[in-house]
Amino acid sequence: MSSMSAGVDVAGRGAGRPCDLHAPSKVGRNAPCPCGSGKKYKHCCLEQHEREAHVHHTTHPLEPGEGRLRQCVAYGRKVYDLREQLEKLTDGRVDPDIVTYVVAAAVFFCGLLRIRSFNALEPKLGEKTFINLVGHPIDSRSKLCSADTLGRVLRIMGIDGLRAFAAHMVNQAERNKVFREGWVGSLRFVALDGWEPICSYHRHCSECLIRNVKFKHKDGTEEIVEQYYHRYVVAMLIDERFDLALDFEPLLPEEMRPDADQHECDEGELTAARRLLRRVKETYSWLDVVLGDGLYANGPFLTVVKDLKMGAIVVAKKQGDEPLREALRIWDRMPPDSTFEDEEKRERVELWDCPALETLSSYDGPIRVVRAEITDLNDPAAERHTWCFLVTGKATKLTARQVVRAGRGRWHLENTGFNQWTQHWKFEHVFTHNGQAIIALYWLFFVAYNLLTLFLYRQLRCYGRDRGKDVTQTIVRLVDEMNDDLARLQESPWGA
């Protein structure tokens, strides 16, 4: 990863120093404990030091410039114009008593601090510390606003402004050379996949999709009932150290489809994905390669990728479909083209590479097919895993080994993205059940997620390294510290 440019690290100098005030600052988790016990630090005094630091953090007011929360806000303000971008947001109200900024900032910090619902957020809206965090005077009111106001304003908030807010942050990071080196082969990758965070048997809105499912009652009887759900296609920038949410697109119900006169069903994932990919490329012209699962291994989608002058690496699963069928025929009984061992992952990988096939009738152009058979070195007798990928455009310049690495990296979207957002960011909770409000809320949460990720891996570099390779748990730890900081926040972190 390249070093941060001069304009990027202006906030929070020294932010990478360990935050545990009572712990020896230079002791690694696996180093001998300084108490002289002869044990590793993580098995000896680390827990006690962290407990003492937690007590100190929760009982002492923050000094000016102290605390991860203040550092994160300062970083967002100075590097990504966080305050100005929040103030640009608008909604459909005329001369409102509560400005859009208050609602947007409250929801943004609800996401940043991972507050589980608007009901849990409402008491904080009247607390001095949260009012200081939002940084807006409340005049004669006793609180910023109510939870109901948050829901009402989100329903009419401008989606284009929210999308521009998120794009500004990612494009500013690109200008600051955060992605200069690319990930694999100096290329920048975007992964697409469908995501269903919300479903219900009772609550629904006009933008819900509907399906019939088999519901099993407590007495064991089964019934076919309607289930209401929201589904989206998400685009995420994939990188070795961190992943950023770029954009998302809802799947539309039948009556809201622009081509509703031609279809009598709800929209499918591929239709929304093609619409999303065009917008993503228009917004982030520096993206190079699309990553996708087996659903995207078809001519119409690969044609869109080609028209956008991008490359693609998509999973191929159906052995009877072209061009995988032709590649398997060519590889029949042939030894692998190359073999290597990955000591870090403890795997042996055998690779087959078919450079240019033109057997897919719905796509005009050559398609490269790469197959990898992976053996677990820790258990050589276990069943081998097989991956097959279709490769087009810019991605064809990668070696077979790089293709497999990038193709398997699509799982960042599942693990760092969907799983984390569902388990820790409460995306599956229905904060307010309205299609437009859900989209507005998700945009503010995605911006909070991106800022937190950039702050962690660009500003607090040693913080992430000291806490291991699990991105999700590292962010959980940082958010816990920020919530401790909020309880001690005595003045606005926004500055003059």
Side-chain angles (χ1 to χ4, degrees):
M1 183 64 63
S2 62
S3 61
M4 191 176 295
S5 65
V8 178
D9 60 350
V10 293
R13 288 285 188 182
R17 293 192 299 269
C19 62
D20 298 334
L21 304 178
H22 298 271
S25 61
K26 300 297 183 182
V27 178
R29 296 171 67 91
N30 292 314
C33 187
C35 73
S37 65
K39 300 179 181 179
K40 290 183 179 180
Y41 179 48
K42 66 179 180 180
H43 295 314
C44 191
C45 296
L46 175 61
E47 184 177 350
Q48 176 63 24
H49 288 155
E50 290 182 341
R51 188 181 304 113
E52 292 173 356
H54 177 75
V55 172
H56 176 87
H57 285 164
T58 54
T59 57
H60 290 70
L62 286 176
E63 297 295 332
E66 183 186 7
R68 298 301 185 196
L69 180 57
R70 186 187 295 277
Q71 292 171 354
C72 184
V73 172
Y75 177 71
R77 176 171 59 89
K78 293 184 179 181
V79 180
Y80 301 108
D81 304 320
L82 180 59
R83 178 80 185 217
E84 291 78 2
Q85 293 298 316
L86 285 169
E87 289 177 342
K88 286 182 180 179
L89 300 177
T90 59
D91 60 67
R93 297 173 298 161
V94 178
D95 193 21
D97 292 333
I98 299 171
V99 297
T100 309
Y101 168 81
V102 169
V103 173
V107 175
F108 171 83
F109 286 113
C110 176
L112 188 71
L113 300 172
R114 293 179 171 177
I115 298 172
R116 67 182 183 275
S117 66
F118 281 166
N119 286 337
L121 174 64
E122 185 154 20
K124 296 182 181 294
L125 297 174
E127 295 175 0
K128 181 180 178 181
T129 54
F130 196 83
I131 294 171
N132 288 336
L133 180 60
V134 171
H136 188 82
I138 61 173
D139 302 323
S140 60
R141 300 192 305 274
S142 60
K143 60 193 302 185
L144 290 168
C145 61
S146 67
D148 289 340
T149 299
L150 297 180
R152 287 196 300 270
V153 176
L154 286 174
R155 291 171 182 236
I156 53 177
M157 190 172 289
I159 301 301
D160 290 341
L162 290 164
R163 186 180 291 118
F165 181 14
H168 170 80
M169 180 174 292
V170 176
N171 279 321
Q172 182 63 48
E174 197 276 334
R175 286 191 292 271
N176 290 341
K177 300 181 175 60
V178 172
F179 321 119
R180 180 175 61 183
E181 296 179 358
W183 174 36
V184 178
S186 298
L187 298 175
R188 275 76 66 91
F189 295 80
V190 55
L192 299 183
D193 202 1
W195 179 44
E196 184 183 314
I198 295 174
C199 64
S200 173
Y201 291 103
H202 305 291
R203 302 179 64 181
H204 65 95
C205 66
S206 60
E207 297 183 31
C208 279
L209 304 174
I210 303 175
R211 62 190 169 202
N212 293 322
V213 299
K214 185 180 294 186
F215 182 81
K216 189 173 183 178
H217 296 279
K218 293 182 179 180
D219 60 2
T221 59
E222 295 182 347
E223 179 185 4
I224 302 298
V225 298
E226 288 187 339
Q227 187 182 59
Y228 310 100
Y229 65 102
H230 287 263
R231 188 172 177 84
Y232 307 89
V233 180
V234 179
M236 173 174 270
L237 175 73
I238 304 298
D239 197 87
E240 180 179 11
R241 292 186 175 222
F242 55 85
D243 312 298
L244 300 179
L246 298 181
D247 204 340
F248 68 103
E249 181 71 16
L251 275 65
L252 301 177
E254 174 190 345
E255 58 275 10
M256 296 185 66
R257 296 184 62 166
D259 54 354
D261 57 331
Q262 305 175 26
H263 300 275
E264 297 181 357
C265 60
D266 294 339
E267 197 170 50
E269 181 180 327
L270 276 173
T271 303
R274 291 193 293 267
R275 186 168 64 243
L276 173 63
L277 183 58
R278 292 187 181 98
R279 188 172 67 232
V280 166
K281 180 60 176 179
E282 181 180 357
T283 307
Y284 309 103
S285 58
W286 39 269
L287 290 171
D288 299 307
V289 179
V290 182
L291 305 176
D293 61 15
L295 180 66
Y296 300 89
N298 61 80
F301 180 78
L302 294 177
T303 299
V304 173
V305 174
K306 179 183 177 182
D307 292 342
L308 295 174
K309 296 180 172 56
M310 300 178 71
I313 300 176
V314 297
V315 177
K317 293 183 177 179
K318 297 181 179 179
Q319 298 184 9
D321 290 350
E322 296 291 354
L324 179 58
R325 182 174 66 177
E326 177 66 13
L328 292 174
R329 186 189 66 78
I330 294 173
W331 292 328
D332 187 33
R333 299 180 182 178
M334 287 180 58
D337 297 321
S338 61
T339 303
F340 70 93
E341 291 189 357
D342 188 331
E343 290 298 330
E344 182 180 356
K345 294 183 178 180
R346 297 295 298 157
E347 294 176 343
R348 183 175 67 253
V349 183
E350 298 177 346
L351 297 172
W352 288 261
D353 193 350
C354 196
L357 295 176
E358 299 188 15
T359 56
L360 183 60
S361 59
S362 57
Y363 178 75
D364 182 16
I367 298 177
R368 178 184 176 189
V369 184
V370 174
R371 182 177 70 170
E373 291 194 359
I374 301 169
T375 303
D376 186 350
L377 293 178
N378 294 324
D379 187 10
E383 182 180 359
R384 296 198 298 180
H385 298 282
T386 301
W387 290 85
C388 295
F389 300 99
L390 307 186
V391 188
T392 66
K394 293 182 179 181
T396 55
K397 76 174 188 178
L398 300 174
T399 66
R401 182 172 179 175
Q402 289 175 323
V403 167
V404 174
R405 182 186 175 195
R408 296 175 73 187
R410 188 193 65 81
W411 280 97
H412 288 216
L413 180 54
E414 298 279 354
N415 298 330
T416 309
F418 299 160
N419 289 346
Q420 181 182 190
W421 297 338
T422 300
Q423 295 177 20
H424 300 290
W425 287 77
K426 311 304 179 187
F427 274 79
E428 86 288 356
H429 176 74
V430 183
F431 286 78
T432 175
H433 204 134
N434 173 271
Q436 289 295 104
I438 293 172
I439 292 175
L441 179 134
Y442 281 3
W443 269 121
L444 288 166
F445 277 21
F446 280 142
V447 173
Y449 165 80
N450 287 346
L451 176 62
L452 194 62
T453 302
L454 289 166
F455 174 64
L456 175 61
Y457 287 98
R458 297 298 297 174
Q459 195 74 8
L460 307 184
R461 299 182 185 185
C462 73
Y463 184 101
R465 183 172 63 251
D466 291 345
R467 281 151 183 79
K469 297 181 179 180
D470 189 330
V471 176
T472 300
Q473 291 306 314
T474 303
I475 294 180
V476 166
R477 172 67 178 274
L478 180 58
V479 172
D480 288 343
E481 291 185 23
M482 288 184 173
N483 277 287
D484 289 344
D485 292 342
L486 176 63
R488 301 179 293 132
L489 192 66
Q490 299 300 312
E491 60 182 22
S492 175
W494 295 104

